[in-house]
Amino acid sequence: MFSIFKTFFWLGWISFGGPAAHIGYFRQTFVEKRKWLSDSDYAQIVALSQFLPGPGSSQVGFALGYQRGGLPGACMAFLGFTLPSVIIMLALAMLSSQLTDMPLFQSIVHGLKLLAVVVVADATWGMYKNSCKDKLTVSLCVATAVALLLVPSIATQMVVLLIAAFVGSRYLLKESSEVTQPFKPSLAPLALFVALLVGLPFAAHILPSIALFNDFFQAGSLVFGGGHVVLPLLQNIVGDQLTQDAFLTGYAAAQAVPGPMFTFATYIGYELLPSTPVAGAIIATLAVFLPGFLLLLGVLKNWQSLAAIPSVSGAISGVNAAVVGLLLAALYQPVFSSAVINEMDIALVLIGFWLLKQMKLPIVAMVAFFMAAGAITGLM
């Protein structure tokens, strides 16, 4: 269990760039380096995370930990990957905007955003080679990327994924697929999800901490598409309880720190429960992640049986191709567009590709290189 925690804890400190970059870091670590699972199995987990509400990349990490060590392994993966971001967001909540306004901090973060460009591009190319092997899957990939670039929204994402699943279920059937056992969802986590979703609003008036938990649980239940989507939802929840300046400071910090953007809830929870701010941060963080994890646990145990059904297997193949399109669109917006602003940035990205693919530089050295490059270029 400690090895799972240690691996995800390290990733939690270096995973800049948002959900698409996290998927790239996970693939590089657990598919290419540690060989925990095959590329096709990893693609299935990524596809599953796209259909469930919640933090997509964190659900992928949770599922990887579950496959490696059961529920304890999943909890260790979640704790390890999320804890660094929680620590940073807590520190930022205490220090307010002093650190985020420092030029050196901004320069280092900019360098790490360039690293995210390299990682996402590598993940996109790797998953393209494994999931887009014929005209139909390539077409689904391209159509998804085009749709999201032209009409970027969660509604577009859900529509193209559903279309890809339908097309795959009709035209990407695998005759060799055999169902070894019927699919049976795990009822306990699904029942707990429904009970909390329905019951918490009735108990919210009892204590401020219960009201806080309810607010963030409801937000986590409604988020499709990852961390960027939770931000406007949380803004609606917060309302006048938090000043606009404080909210925007946390918003900026959530995009700058490594790890899941859902830890923006840590910052808000700290501010919304002033009598016990650390407890508020922990409550808000657990509440916003919990719905996605309960839903994932409900279907993950028998996911392979469900995936073995020919029509479902075809649908997964279609979704896998569409997910590559999602990554391709995300590679441009927000990853590339928010990181690359001049010729020097392009040069650093090209050097990063050379270091990663030709020199086989480990991720530790890549992080050090881009942090140093960001600091140096910031002084120029």
Side-chain angles (χ1 to χ4, degrees):
M1 291 301 116
F2 179 73
S3 64
I4 296 176
F5 172 83
K6 181 174 67 174
T7 302
F8 278 92
F9 186 68
W10 166 245
L11 284 171
W13 285 108
I14 65 170
S15 294
F16 288 83
H22 301 165
I23 290 173
Y25 285 113
F26 288 157
R27 180 182 176 276
Q28 186 182 60
T29 301
F30 300 111
V31 176
E32 294 185 352
K33 183 180 178 182
R34 296 183 178 271
K35 310 292 185 184
W36 280 15
L37 71 172
S38 68
D39 229 331
S40 59
D41 287 340
Y42 180 70
Q44 285 189 8
I45 291 175
V46 174
L48 175 60
S49 72
Q50 300 300 311
F51 275 111
L52 298 174
S57 60
S58 292
Q59 286 174 316
V60 172
F62 191 81
L64 289 169
Y66 185 89
Q67 291 203 340
R68 191 70 176 176
L71 185 57
C75 293
M76 287 296 100
F78 163 68
L79 183 62
F81 186 62
T82 310
L83 188 57
S85 182
V86 169
I87 292 172
I88 295 172
M89 293 302 285
L90 266 175
L92 290 173
M94 295 174 183
L95 296 173
S96 186
S97 61
Q98 297 175 25
L99 184 60
T100 54
D101 289 337
M102 290 176 58
L104 179 61
F105 177 78
Q106 294 174 354
S107 298
I108 291 174
V109 168
H110 179 71
L112 291 170
K113 285 182 177 180
L114 294 176
L115 172 60
V117 175
V118 175
V119 171
V120 175
D122 181 53
T124 303
W125 176 243
M127 294 184 72
Y128 176 86
K129 290 190 294 183
N130 285 281
S131 300
C132 303
K133 297 181 178 180
D134 53 48
K135 290 182 179 179
L136 182 54
T137 49
V138 171
S139 298
L140 288 172
C141 169
V142 173
T144 300
V146 169
L148 284 167
L149 288 171
L150 295 178
V151 189
S153 71
I154 298 306
T156 303
Q157 177 176 317
M158 296 308 299
V159 168
V160 295
L161 287 175
L162 289 172
I163 291 174
F166 174 76
V167 171
S169 68
R170 295 289 302 273
Y171 302 107
L172 294 173
L173 299 177
K174 297 180 180 179
E175 295 181 1
S176 60
S177 298
E178 295 181 0
V179 182
T180 56
Q181 58 181 349
F183 171 69
K184 294 181 180 179
S186 299
L187 297 180
L190 295 178
L192 180 58
F193 168 78
V194 173
L196 290 173
L197 187 67
V198 175
L200 278 173
F202 294 100
H205 67 280
I206 299 176
L207 289 171
S209 57
I210 297 177
L212 184 69
F213 189 95
N214 173 63
D215 287 342
F216 283 84
F217 188 87
Q218 301 294 328
S221 303
L222 295 172
V223 175
F224 286 88
H228 290 283
V229 186
V230 80
L231 299 176
L233 277 176
L234 291 181
Q235 189 172 25
N236 291 332
I237 288 174
V238 169
D240 297 329
Q241 299 178 69
L242 199 62
T243 67
Q244 190 72 7
D245 286 344
F247 185 88
L248 291 176
T249 298
Y251 184 101
Q255 298 182 76
V257 303
M261 287 186 66
F262 267 47
T263 54
F264 182 36
T266 305
Y267 184 95
I268 297 181
Y270 183 95
E271 298 286 344
L272 292 183
L273 210 62
S275 58
T276 52
V278 175
I282 295 172
I283 290 170
T285 303
L286 293 176
V288 79
F289 278 100
L290 186 58
F293 291 158
L294 289 176
L295 292 172
L296 186 69
L297 286 173
V299 299
L300 183 61
K301 189 174 182 180
N302 296 106
W303 175 241
Q304 297 295 337
S305 298
L306 183 63
I309 302 171
S311 59
V312 176
S313 177
I316 292 171
S317 296
V319 171
N320 286 342
V323 167
V324 178
L326 294 179
L327 282 176
L328 185 58
L331 175 60
Y332 174 72
Q333 175 66 31
V335 177
F336 186 92
S337 61
S338 66
V340 178
I341 57 178
N342 55 38
E343 294 82 357
M344 177 62 75
D345 292 339
I346 288 286
L348 289 172
V349 168
L350 292 175
I351 293 171
F353 272 114
W354 175 71
L355 292 173
L356 179 66
K357 304 303 291 183
Q358 296 300 317
M359 304 304 292
K360 308 296 182 183
L361 211 63
I363 193 65
V364 170
M366 293 289 290
V367 171
F369 170 79
F370 276 97
M371 287 179 67
I376 292 169
T377 55
L379 298 173
M380 295 172 60

